[in-house]
Amino acid sequence: AGVSKVGSYTGTAATLNVDCGFTAGARFILIKRSDAVGDWFTYDSFRGITAGNDPYLLLNTTAAQVTNTDYIDPLNAGFTVTSTAPAGLNANGGTYIFLAIA
């Protein structure tokens, strides 16, 4: 508790706060849609988890990192999935699994 969290959330297509029980936000986040085909989105504090563009990698592809999107924002208790996130991260009614590390 307070160090890592494996969990799930239901997408809203609106800004969604995911509370992981942390006090200083997540430094690593892995998210996968579990009710439909989807990518493994990976974010980390080395690349940057900020209130602006957040680079991410897709673990299931060999594509280069994407650097010009704002799908994740910092949250002291965990992380925020933004309303601009695609269906792979935040479709209304979608089910997602995640691993977050503080």
Side-chain angles (χ1 to χ4, degrees):
V3 176
S4 65
K5 170 95 178 189
V6 173
S8 65
Y9 64 88
T10 301
T12 62
T15 299
L16 172 68
N17 291 331
V18 180
D19 187 340
C20 300
F22 301 158
T23 58
R27 295 177 48 130
F28 176 87
I29 305 164
L30 175 65
I31 302 172
K32 166 83 168 79
R33 187 166 182 175
S34 60
D35 67 334
V37 174
D39 294 311
W40 290 90
F41 288 82
T42 307
Y43 295 86
D44 61 68
S45 58
F46 179 76
R47 288 178 181 79
I49 298 174
T50 65
N53 289 344
D54 309 298
Y56 67 86
L57 290 170
L58 298 175
L59 292 185
N60 56 303
T61 73
T62 58
Q65 77 175 351
V66 177
T67 61
N68 60 349
T69 62
D70 185 24
Y71 299 156
I72 297 287
D73 283 338
L75 177 70
N76 280 343
F79 61 96
T80 297
V81 183
T82 67
S83 61
T84 60
L89 291 171
N90 193 12
N92 190 28
T95 304
Y96 302 85
I97 56 174
F98 70 88
L99 164 65
I101 300 174

